Amino acid sequence: MDKINALLRQINEADAILVGAASGMSTAAGMDFWYEDSLLYNTEIRYYADKYGFHGIFNGFYNHFESEEEHWGFYLAALDMILNLPAQNPTYKNLKRLLKDKDYHIMTTNQDTLFFRDFPAEKISEIQGSWNYFQSERPSSDQNLYSTRQLLSQVQDQVREHKLSKTAIPYSPVNGAKLIPWARGPEFLEGKRYFEEHKKINQFLGQHQGQKILFNINPKDALTHPQIVDRSLLIHEDINDVLAAAVQKLEGKNV
């Protein structure tokens, strides 16, 4: 409880807050399908996981499938799940309740788009890409991003026996290369949107230069540098539990 009080005090005293969030945030929200065999798997994902023996959707993205048609069947099933499955815990909603009276910005390496369900886009910087988009496998000659949701709507009904019809597999209309998710990897497109995401962070920090900024980063094994230990608050408990307790304390009621 002392750490909860300290967290609320730091939030209250800050002129601005920069939230840094990685995969632990999504795991805290109950989305435990990234790195493990999860009860949240839908029927289609279960088929691929059982057939190839991978644990977690993330590992599925690096699996070698028998055909490009089956690979795309997995893509569509996984992305439909990622973009539409509701968060199992109110982690993001509680964070929003804590930040509601503050000037804040969110910097995330997560690509699962969960922040966009509770926060406005201008408050979020996705610095490692987003499952909301596909890109060309050859970004040097195609700098465009392609909407995942639009792609899903166009081809999802052409999946048969866990495979996307060969004639429905999408390719870049610019250079004819394969489309791949816009997520950090060897062919990751660092184009216009990528730099815009980083620009939002720099603008936020510039607007609050010289003010008291709270950098809110909470990995499982939180560490800090000895030179700033007196300005650091290390909280190792579950993020979902911490945020829930903080909201309960702040609002003086159950969440």
Side-chain angles (χ1 to χ4, degrees), residues 114-237:
L114 283 175
F115 271 110
F116 290 89
R117 302 182 190 183
D118 292 290
F119 297 90
E122 64 270 17
K123 293 284 191 180
I124 305 168
S125 288
E126 296 174 304
I127 61 173
Q128 298 279 29
S130 169
W131 300 112
N132 255 333
Y133 300 99
F134 273 79
Q135 64 160 88
S136 170
E137 194 176 46
R138 296 202 305 269
S140 60
S141 54
D142 182 359
Q143 295 278 304
N144 296 298
L145 293 176
Y146 301 94
S147 167
T148 298
R149 293 185 183 277
Q150 182 177 344
L151 188 150
L152 285 172
S153 69
Q154 292 173 343
V155 303
Q156 200 165 29
D157 62 350
Q158 299 184 56
V159 175
R160 301 288 185 276
E161 297 182 352
H162 313 288
K163 299 175 183 178
L164 177 63
S165 169
K166 189 171 185 177
T167 59
I169 294 176
Y171 294 88
S172 163
V174 176
N175 60 17
K178 293 179 182 178
L179 292 184
I180 58 176
W182 187 52
R184 174 60 67 181
E187 300 89 11
F188 181 61
L189 171 61
E190 293 186 0
K192 181 175 182 292
R193 186 180 181 92
Y194 173 81
F195 290 108
E196 287 175 346
E197 297 300 293
H198 286 264
K199 183 179 179 181
K200 285 190 285 187
I201 301 170
N202 292 330
Q203 288 178 333
F204 175 79
L205 292 174
Q207 290 167 0
H208 297 284
Q209 186 174 7
Q211 297 181 350
K212 186 174 183 178
I213 303 177
L214 173 61
F215 294 88
N216 185 5
I217 305 175
N218 187 10
K220 179 180 178 181
D221 300 313
L223 300 171
T224 191
H225 194 279
Q227 290 184 352
I228 60 170
V229 68
D230 60 328
R231 292 178 285 152
S232 302
L233 175 63
L234 305 182
I235 302 177
H236 297 89
E237 287 73 27

Side-chain angles (χ1 to χ4, degrees), residues 14-169:
D15 296 309
I17 300 174
L18 180 63
V19 177
S23 60
M25 186 73 178
S26 296
T27 300
M31 312 300 267
D32 59 352
F33 52 74
W34 287 103
Y35 297 100
E36 58 188 276
D37 190 344
S38 172
L39 293 175
L40 293 179
Y41 279 171
N42 60 29
T43 302
E44 288 297 305
I45 295 299
R46 175 60 59 201
Y47 166 83
Y48 300 109
D50 289 347
K51 179 176 180 177
Y52 290 100
F54 59 75
H55 300 288
I57 286 181
F58 187 82
N59 292 321
F61 277 104
Y62 294 93
N63 183 63
H64 292 285
F65 292 87
E66 289 182 355
S67 66
E68 192 66 14
E69 294 93 322
E70 190 177 59
H71 192 181
W72 269 95
F74 167 78
Y75 266 160
L76 299 177
L79 292 169
D80 177 61
M81 184 175 167
I82 291 167
L83 297 180
N84 297 314
L85 185 70
Q88 306 298 292
N89 297 324
T91 314
Y92 289 83
K93 296 186 184 303
N94 282 335
L95 177 62
K96 184 177 182 179
R97 290 161 75 176
L98 286 179
L99 298 176
K100 64 179 181 178
D101 297 324
K102 309 299 296 189
D103 192 2
Y104 67 88
H105 193 77
I106 296 164
M107 177 179 64
T108 181
T109 56
N110 293 342
Q111 297 137 2
D112 57 15
T113 75
L114 283 175
F115 271 110
F116 290 89
R117 302 182 190 183
D118 292 290
F119 297 90
E122 64 270 17
K123 293 284 191 180
I124 305 168
S125 288
E126 296 174 304
I127 61 173
Q128 298 279 29
S130 169
W131 300 112
N132 255 333
Y133 300 99
F134 273 79
Q135 64 160 88
S136 170
E137 194 176 46
R138 296 202 305 269
S140 60
S141 54
D142 182 359
Q143 295 278 304
N144 296 298
L145 293 176
Y146 301 94
S147 167
T148 298
R149 293 185 183 277
Q150 182 177 344
L151 188 150
L152 285 172
S153 69
Q154 292 173 343
V155 303
Q156 200 165 29
D157 62 350
Q158 299 184 56
V159 175
R160 301 288 185 276
E161 297 182 352
H162 313 288
K163 299 175 183 178
L164 177 63
S165 169
K166 189 171 185 177
T167 59
I169 294 176

